[in-house]
Every structure is written in structure tokens, then in C-alpha cells.
Amino acid sequence: MSLDTAAAPPPSKRRVFASRLFSTLILWAIIWAAVQWEKNWLLIALTGFFGVAGAVEYYRLLRIDAQARSFNILGLTICLAYWATMTWWVMTQKKAPPMWLELAALTTSVHGAFLLCYRHQLEGTVTLQRIFSTVFGVVYTVIFFGFIARLMYFNGDGHNPTGLFLVIYLVMVTKFSDMGAYAFGVVFGKHKMIPHISPAKSWEGLVGAFVTSFLAAVIMLWWKPLELQPLNWLHGLILAPILCAAGITGDLAESVIKRCTSIKDSGHAFPGIGGILDLTDSLLFTAPVFYFYLEAISA
């Protein structure tokens, strides 16, 4: 093999960690600016961008042929309509829309996917797979991620900063878990956790994820105890391992999607991390868990 065709050596673990840290700090700077300026619309815009960009990445991963592309267009149209409606509602009403928005997105995706199938000859389970992948894409990239916007207006008052700090708590616990898993895995990782899905993940990294997520929860509860209501110390510390477990599930879920489509990263938007889905995969699973937990303790 010539030097021109030889594969480039993989980047060092130190370089990958530095790139991940840089990308994470940029995101934190945006979130912090939104909090300091009390600009909820900035976080809504950021959430909407990630939601749409994640949907684009997902449907691009599943783009196989022209017929599959028709389903992609349906899924992306629903995603854009969802975030346009969500943004308009929170900007005008200063609160999250009713749950009918998620039900409308889900119902439209099911109806639309079947309608598209009527135009062509059926291809057995391939046709069903196209229907399922289209509907799953709406749930995975739109409905799940939309809970972040709902958390921002959890108490129904768009001028109350509580929603912003609930989102910060969610992001901190989730992303500290991600960083802890990576750092502990790099330094101590020797025992593979699920090598057939994610060869890089180790049991030592799993321990690190729980340790750092717990640390993030303690920092937030000490820093802003009043702003995190209805969370108190008890619920905040109980939530840390729950969100950590949900985040790990979300990370592994994206690994399943990438392995099934033979893709290493969902994109290249963030150095050292990959694409939008590589950055938000854990949040897709922790956001709805966090929201329903808050609903349960607030009932």
C-alpha cells in the first residue's frame, strides 16, 4: 500500500479529549449567555436547531434509495413543523404547548408513512421497515428532544428562571456523566461493557459516569437550590443515578443505530465528538425521564 492510500493514524486519546472539551465549552458558553441575559428564546432556538439537525442526521443515515428518501422528506417535514409550532407557541404564549403537539407529530408520521406506501408495490418487510424507521425518527429526534423545551417552561411562567436552571441541571448531570465515562474509561478502562455494540465502553467508565453525574447534581443543588424547585436535595440526588442510567442507554441506542448503518459518527459538526446526534444522544433519553419525574413529584 502506498503512502498516498495509507490510512491516517487515529488521533491520540489526549487530543480527542481536548477536542471534546473544547466543543462542550462552546455549548456551555451559549447556555450560560442565555441564563445571564435571561433570554429563553436563545435556548429555544438552540434546542430547535439541535432537534432539526439531529433529524437531518438520522434520516441521512437511513437514506438508502429514492423510495426511502420519500419517507425522509416526510419525517423532516414533520420535524420542521413541530419545531416551528413549538417556537411560535412559547414565544407568543410564554409556556409550553399542550401534549397534543407530540400526539399530532406521531399521528401524522404514522398516517403519512402508510400513505406513501400506497404509491408503490409492497416489498414485504422492507416496506414495514421504512414505515417503522420513519415513525421512530420522529419520536427519537423530535418528541424526545422536545421535552427540553417543555422543561424550560415547566412551571408555566416564561419569565420564571426556574425552567432555565432545570435545563442546566439536566444538561450538567447528563454531560458530566458522558465526560466521566470517557475520562474514567481512558484512564482505568480494562473490562469491556458491551463490545458488540460499543467496543470503547468499559465497566470502569460506567462507574465514572455515575460518580461525575452525582457530583454535577451536588454542585447544582448547592449553587441554585431555590431556582431548582420543585427539586430538593432528596429528589435531586435520587435523579442523578436515574439520569445517568438513562443517558448511558441513550448513548448505547445511538451506537446501535450507527452499527446497524455501518457509520462511525453521525456527522462532523463538533470536533472530537462527531455529529449532532453524537452530542445529544444521551439528552434524548434523559429529557423525557426528567420531565416525567418532575410531573410525578409535582402532582
Side-chain angles (χ1 to χ4, degrees):
M1 182 181 292
S2 66
L3 292 177
D4 293 336
T5 58
S12 66
K13 292 181 178 180
R14 180 179 298 179
R15 183 176 178 181
V16 171
F17 183 80
S19 298
R20 288 190 174 205
L21 182 61
F22 176 73
S23 298
T24 303
L25 289 176
I26 291 178
L27 292 175
W28 275 113
I30 297 174
I31 294 174
W32 181 253
V35 174
Q36 289 296 100
W37 300 336
E38 296 185 357
K39 299 296 183 182
N40 284 16
W41 65 265
L42 185 57
L43 276 181
I44 290 292
L46 184 65
T47 304
F49 167 76
F50 282 142
V52 173
V56 171
E57 285 187 354
Y58 168 83
Y59 286 110
R60 190 189 67 229
L61 292 177
L62 298 181
R63 187 172 55 198
I64 301 173
D65 52 35
Q67 290 182 337
R69 242 188 318 272
S70 297
F71 292 84
N72 295 346
I73 293 174
L74 169 67
L76 290 174
T77 300
I78 295 173
C79 292
L80 287 170
Y82 173 91
W83 282 110
T85 305
M86 173 71 77
T87 302
W88 172 81
W89 190 284
V90 299
M91 293 290 289
T92 58
Q93 305 297 319
K94 303 300 181 182
K95 61 182 180 180
M99 280 292 181
W100 60 255
L101 182 59
E102 279 75 13
L103 294 175
L106 181 60
T107 303
T108 304
S109 65
V110 173
H111 281 256
F114 274 101
L115 286 173
L116 289 175
C117 290
Y118 302 157
R119 303 184 307 166
H120 307 284
Q121 291 293 327
L122 299 181
E123 301 176 83
T125 57
V126 173
T127 299
L128 291 178
Q129 288 171 358
R130 289 174 178 162
I131 296 171
F132 297 155
S133 63
T134 302
V135 176
F136 174 75
V138 173
V139 175
Y140 182 60
T141 65
V142 170
I143 294 179
F144 276 15
F145 207 61
F147 280 99
I148 293 182
R150 292 192 173 279
L151 284 170
M152 202 176 308
Y153 293 89
F154 181 77
N155 291 325
D157 184 356
H159 301 289
N160 190 329
T162 297
L164 285 174
F165 286 103
L166 288 174
V167 173
I168 293 175
Y169 173 92
L170 170 70
V171 175
M172 274 197 68
V173 172
T174 303
K175 302 315 290 184
F176 265 57
S177 172
D178 291 347
M179 295 297 292
Y182 183 81
F184 274 61
V186 168
V187 177
F188 305 109
K190 293 182 180 179
H191 302 88
K192 302 298 183 181
M193 188 169 67
I194 311 181
H196 64 283
I197 293 178
S198 183
K201 289 180 174 57
S202 65
W203 290 107
E204 292 81 1
L206 178 66
V207 173
F210 279 100
V211 170
T212 51
S213 64
F214 190 83
L215 176 63
V218 170
I219 292 173
M220 283 299 301
L221 292 166
W222 170 79
W223 179 41
K224 294 291 183 180
L226 296 179
E227 288 81 355
L228 287 175
Q229 295 297 326
L231 278 188
N232 53 29
W233 276 90
L234 175 62
H235 290 297
L237 295 180
I238 290 175
L239 261 173
I242 294 176
L243 294 180
C244 179
I248 293 169
T249 303
D251 193 359
L252 290 172
E254 202 224 353
S255 295
V256 170
I257 294 173
K258 291 190 293 186
R259 283 216 166 248
C260 290
T261 54
S262 301
I263 298 294
K264 182 180 183 298
D265 293 316
S266 64
H268 304 283
F270 298 95
I273 297 178
I276 298 295
L277 288 178
D278 294 310
L279 181 70
T280 61
D281 52 6
S282 52
L283 285 169
L284 291 172
F285 276 56
T286 58
V289 170
F290 187 29
Y291 179 85
F292 288 123
Y293 188 98
L294 290 177
E295 285 283 3
I297 66 175
S298 301

